[in-house]
Amino acid sequence: MMKYFFHLVILLAGFVPSVGLAGFVGDPAPPIILREWMYGKPVEIAPGTNIFVLAMWETPDTNSVKNLNAIQSRFKTNGVVVIAVSDEEPAKITDFLHREGANVHFSIVADNKRQTGRSYMRPYQLRAIPYAFIVGTNGHLLGHGHVLTEMSLTLADILSGRFDEEVAKKVDMATRQIGQY
């Protein structure tokens, strides 16, 4: 009897979603699993608080720094918080901050064993960084894209009330079906 129970548990485990995977646009976003808060004021990353732009990132990427600074500056008064998530060792991030800290206007965190990066990027089978995800005040993934492109337009739509999560989910699904990711 126990033998069959064990097999049933293994079979049912295949139907349970993986813990920590963000899923797709419209799905709840997973938590950020930090190794260390490296730069900026720590914030609570939870539904009902802010809109977050989570950039999976590596130091030093000057083009990304400029664009993330611009996003943070433009949307800060609207409650948008930009957080760069790095899978590098804290010492390397600290070295970067000693050189460029005055030129960085967003928060930087050290990922814990790439758990955050994988949970956001794996559903889209993404490997290249920098890449960013927008998490809304409802705690759902609302958009994603390269940090040098789509983020400002999507944020402007969200903040102006023009953003429709259901339409975004359909566009995201259609894009995945034709193999754009």
Side-chain angles (χ1 to χ4, degrees):
M1 185 68 160
M2 283 301 279
K3 178 176 143 183
Y4 295 110
F5 176 75
F6 178 74
H7 289 291
L8 179 62
V9 168
I10 296 297
L11 178 66
L12 290 174
F15 294 105
V16 176
S18 298
V19 174
L21 290 180
F24 301 106
V25 169
D27 291 344
I32 295 177
I33 302 170
L34 303 179
R35 180 173 179 179
E36 188 174 339
W37 197 279
M38 301 296 300
Y39 187 75
K41 182 180 168 187
V43 295
E44 179 182 4
I45 301 166
T49 57
N50 295 81
I51 295 172
F52 297 97
V53 175
L54 303 176
M56 305 309 149
W57 184 68
E58 184 175 88
T59 62
D61 182 344
T62 54
N63 288 330
S64 294
V65 169
K66 289 177 187 174
N67 198 55
L68 293 172
N69 280 342
I71 291 170
Q72 185 64 84
S73 295
R74 179 177 174 193
F75 297 108
K76 183 177 185 173
T77 58
N78 299 103
V80 173
V81 177
V82 175
I83 303 171
V85 180
S86 176
D87 66 0
E88 298 168 301
E89 289 297 317
K92 186 171 182 182
I93 299 168
T94 300
D95 289 344
F96 167 78
L97 289 169
H98 284 298
R99 290 188 316 274
E100 299 293 329
N103 297 322
V104 176
H105 306 292
F106 52 89
S107 297
I108 301 174
V109 299
D111 201 349
N112 188 9
K113 299 179 183 175
R114 299 183 176 163
Q115 291 178 3
T116 302
R118 280 195 305 257
S119 67
Y120 279 84
M121 294 185 68
R122 187 176 285 161
Y124 289 100
Q125 299 178 1
L126 297 168
R127 290 191 175 91
I129 56 174
Y131 202 84
F133 298 85
I134 299 172
V135 178
T137 57
N138 62 358
H140 291 185
L141 182 62
L142 299 181
H144 58 90
H146 193 279
V147 298
L148 300 178
T149 55
E150 301 94 11
M151 297 294 104
S152 290
L153 294 174
T154 304
L155 284 167
D157 284 347
I158 292 167
L159 295 168
S160 70
R162 292 186 308 260
F163 182 81
D164 185 327
E165 188 173 337
E166 290 303 313
V167 170
K169 285 168 55 172
K170 289 176 184 174
V171 169
D172 187 58
M173 182 179 293
T175 307
R176 285 184 278 126
Q177 289 175 344
I178 61 172
Q180 289 293 327
Y181 302 123

